[in-house]
Amino acid sequence: QVQLVESGGGLVQPGGSLRLSCAASGSVFGINAMGWYRQTPGKQRELVATVTSGSTVQYAESVKGRFTISRDNAKNMVYLQMNSLKSEDTAVYYCYANRFWADYWGQGTQVTVSS
């Protein structure tokens, strides 16, 4: 089992920045992809960004150029730097990890972009 704990969410004004962090613990050997998804009420959870153990990165079109994902394999951490935030980025952000074809999720952290 892999446990994921997110931190760094909160309230920010449009145009502002936030940095999300996610710490993985437990059976971390063999984790391949890590990343972030988000969800708003009444909608499906959607991919924001992922990074594989080989550093292949994928971003949702809506966040390209504004968000940056990074990963520290030695610390079993993944980060999401979010710049130029928009109201439509408001959501619960979930940390994600894939290990040996099993998916793991954090509990989620709320990001609210509002003036």
Side-chain angles (χ1 to χ4, degrees):
Q1 292 289 332
V2 177
Q3 293 79 46
L4 302 171
V5 178
E6 303 101 335
S7 61
L11 173 64
V12 63
Q13 292 186 342
S17 298
L18 278 177
R19 187 189 193 216
L20 303 183
S21 301
C22 174
S25 62
S27 301
V28 297
F29 174 79
I31 290 178
N32 181 15
M34 295 187 73
W36 298 91
Y37 284 68
R38 66 187 181 188
Q39 189 170 23
T40 54
K43 293 188 177 181
Q44 286 190 330
R45 194 171 295 186
E46 63 175 8
L47 179 145
V48 177
T50 60
V51 55
T52 68
S53 56
S55 300
T56 299
V57 176
Q58 180 182 12
Y59 291 101
E61 286 295 326
S62 60
V63 307
K64 282 184 179 178
R66 300 188 297 122
F67 291 11
T68 302
I69 190 169
S70 61
R71 179 171 174 174
D72 186 333
N73 290 322
K75 295 182 179 180
N76 299 310
M77 299 284 295
V78 65
Y79 307 95
L80 186 68
Q81 178 65 44
M82 304 185 293
N83 299 329
S84 302
L85 282 160
K86 306 175 181 179
S87 58
E88 50 263 45
D89 295 318
T90 295
V92 177
Y93 284 70
Y94 294 91
C95 182
Y96 160 84
N98 177 271
R99 177 182 182 271
F100 296 137
W101 305 282
D103 293 336
Y104 299 89
W105 299 93
Q107 80 286 355
T109 185
Q110 177 70 45
V111 171
T112 302
V113 184
S114 175
S115 55

